[in-house]
Amino acid sequence: MSDLPWKHIPPWNETGMQVCYNANLIFISCFTGHKPFVDDFMSVFLCKCLFCCLKGPDLIEKANGLHGFMNWKRNLLTDSGGFQMVSLVELSEVTEEGVKFRSPYDGKEILLSPEKSISIQNSLGSDIMMQLDDVVSSTVTGPRVEEAMHRSVRWLDRCIAANKNRDKQNLFAIIQGGLNAELRKACLDEMTKRDVPGFAIGGLSGGEEKDDFWQMVTLSTDHLPREKPRYLMGVGYAVDLVVCVALGCDMFDCVFPTRTARFGSALVPWGTLQVKHKQYAKDFQPIDPDCQCPTCKKHSRAYLHALFKSDTAAMHHITIHNIAYQLTLMRSVRESIVEGRFPEFIRTFMKRLFPSGDQYPSWAVDALASVNVTLD
Ligand SMILES: [Zn+2]
């Protein structure tokens, strides 16, 4: 057991590797032979395979995969298309064979099987591929959750068998089981028998109670192998990122920072700053005076406020800032872990976000207490 006050022992402690893959915004692979950069830029490209089905992965394959197509030298992660079972539930039907989607444009049916998903991801050449899983919303209860969990295990085996590029492309399993501890435990037992390079915790962050959320996260990290990366899917609020690192998660993805930017909301260490508000019309400071991003170096709140009314470029500027905010946050988390002061970092971070301690979300207080991190 760890004698550290949080659950996760950074792997460099155990293996001596000059890399800390804890708390990257997205995992930086040390399995592919790429030199991992602690200060790497965001290295994720979540690809919706469903849309690749429509557009054709052959073109990407001809360009030497997504790395060549995008001229992207660092790591890439592709998603399997499974999440679209939740986001396009009216247009999809799940059978043992796979998931059938009906095109919203011409009504044509597309079958996404585990084999098809892996074949597409092999063509894309990503460093981390996700298995096709049977995803149900975290608010669904009853026998469908159990069915989806067992099917996800069977589909994992089909995905493993279908992977034609095992040396270079790392296939991650996705733990399912909804909010049912027994089912999640059964899924963990079964999937960790497979020798996959990493594990994701799926089926959460879909509108469930935060108490249920962190309990399922901590149950999962308790049973996942320490030496392999743990990727918590769909999580991106600053508090959630910091707390879930303490619970033992290494990787995250979320549309939140970019989506909220399009509504004019800039992420800052003290919460959010809504540039559309009138109070910023004559405010010539940058969004965050301490931020080193191109937006903050160049533009004022007043300029962004004015620009937002007439030009979508304002959304792009705020998007760049929000991504920089998250990368800086995760870099600070990593540094604090490397330097052995993560609990202090959490206390300072929470105090800045919630200046009066009684505003701390109770779930975060409980989750942190479970790994012996107490807040002031
Ligand atoms: Zn900035």
Side-chain angles (χ1 to χ4, degrees):
M1 272 303 285
S2 165
D3 55 355
L4 297 170
W6 61 93
K7 256 190 192 180
H8 192 80
I9 300 179
W12 44 266
N13 271 356
E14 295 173 333
T15 65
M17 275 192 291
Q18 293 298 303
V19 52
C20 171
Y21 66 73
N22 208 29
N24 285 298
L25 185 66
I26 198 70
F27 174 69
I28 298 171
S29 173
C30 55
F31 296 98
T32 56
H34 291 208
K35 185 173 166 54
F37 294 92
V38 171
D39 281 338
D40 208 349
F41 205 72
M42 187 162 64
S43 51
V44 62
F45 184 86
L46 282 169
C47 175
K48 293 176 178 167
C49 283
L50 170 63
F51 300 112
C52 286
C53 284
L54 297 170
K55 289 181 181 167
D58 299 352
L59 174 71
I60 308 291
E61 201 169 2
K62 273 186 201 142
N64 274 333
L66 279 173
H67 287 97
F69 194 64
M70 293 163 41
N71 195 19
W72 180 254
K73 305 257 184 312
R74 295 176 183 172
N75 295 309
L76 289 169
L77 180 151
T78 47
D79 204 357
S80 62
F83 182 69
Q84 276 57 54
M85 285 178 223
V86 174
S87 64
L88 299 175
V89 69
E90 278 95 44
L91 296 169
S92 66
E93 185 200 344
V94 182
T95 64
E96 192 58 30
E97 195 185 2
V99 51
K100 271 185 211 153
F101 291 103
R102 193 156 33 83
S103 164
Y105 306 110
D106 58 10
K108 239 165 96 179
E109 275 195 349
I110 305 156
L111 174 72
L112 186 68
S113 63
E115 292 78 13
K116 177 78 180 167
S117 174
I118 295 301
S119 152
I120 293 168
Q121 295 186 75
N122 277 155
S123 296
L124 298 179
S126 49
D127 303 278
I128 298 175
M129 304 189 292
M130 302 310 297
Q131 76 155 109
L132 186 70
D133 52 348
D134 185 359
V135 192
V136 287
S137 164
S138 58
T139 51
V140 170
T141 51
R144 175 74 185 101
V145 181
E146 184 167 5
E147 178 196 51
M149 184 277 280
H150 289 300
R151 182 170 291 129
S152 294
V153 176
R154 292 193 293 274
W155 284 5
L156 172 61
D157 287 333
R158 286 169 58 184
C159 288
I160 293 170
N163 184 7
K164 291 199 181 75
N165 198 8
R166 284 180 203 201
D167 294 343
K168 288 197 176 144
Q169 290 187 267
N170 299 283
L171 174 63
F172 278 28
I174 306 177
I175 308 295
Q176 291 291 347
L179 304 178
N180 182 317
E182 291 302 308
L183 292 181
R184 216 160 254 276
K185 178 80 181 28
C187 193
L188 282 155
D189 286 346
E190 211 43 61
M191 285 187 171
T192 51
K193 285 180 195 161
R194 277 79 175 161
D195 184 25
V196 287
F199 292 91
I201 303 166
L204 296 177
S205 203
E208 71 279 11
E209 293 294 328
K210 283 287 195 181
D211 283 325
D212 294 328
F213 162 77
W214 82 262
Q215 292 284 357
M216 289 301 116
V217 172
T218 207
L219 172 90
S220 306
T221 52
D222 273 343
H223 292 90
L224 287 172
R226 274 171 179 268
E227 69 282 7
K228 292 183 178 179
R230 299 98 169 259
Y231 164 25
L232 179 55
M233 303 185 86
V235 165
Y237 295 144
V239 172
D240 300 15
L241 293 172
V242 171
V243 172
C244 291
V245 169
L247 294 180
C249 299
D250 304 302
M251 305 164 51
F252 308 89
D253 79 280
C254 196
V255 295
F256 170 67
T258 48
R259 179 179 288 168
T260 203
R262 296 196 290 273
F263 293 100
S265 197
L267 307 176
V268 285
W270 59 94
T272 54
L273 187 151
Q274 177 46 263
V275 301
K276 289 195 282 184
H277 283 177
K278 238 196 264 168
Q279 71 193 87
Y280 300 116
K282 293 177 184 170
D283 186 339
F284 301 115
Q285 295 181 82
I287 292 170
D288 175 2
D290 294 326
C291 178
Q292 299 300 311
C293 85
T295 302
C296 289
K297 280 190 171 163
K298 207 168 167 197
H299 303 303
S300 68
R301 297 171 184 179
Y303 171 73
L304 295 168
H305 175 89
L307 193 65
F308 213 94
K309 293 181 181 166
S310 59
D311 199 320
T312 53
M315 297 180 188
H316 302 307
H317 291 315
I318 301 167
T319 298
I320 287 168
H321 165 80
N322 283 359
I323 291 172
Y325 165 80
Q326 286 210 323
L327 290 167
T328 305
L329 173 66
M330 299 315 281
R331 193 174 302 137
S332 307
V333 167
R334 280 200 301 273
E335 283 167 5
S336 77
I337 293 171
V338 171
E339 291 163 13
R341 53 176 177 80
F342 186 40
E344 290 96 274
F345 172 88
I346 299 174
R347 283 190 275 274
T348 309
F349 162 82
M350 291 294 278
K351 225 179 216 169
R352 184 106 199 256
L353 207 49
F354 306 100
S356 129
D358 53 10
Q359 292 173 318
Y360 292 150
S362 61
W363 75 270
V365 174
D366 294 344
L368 290 169
S370 78
V371 285
N372 301 322
V373 177
T374 48
L375 299 174
D376 297 334

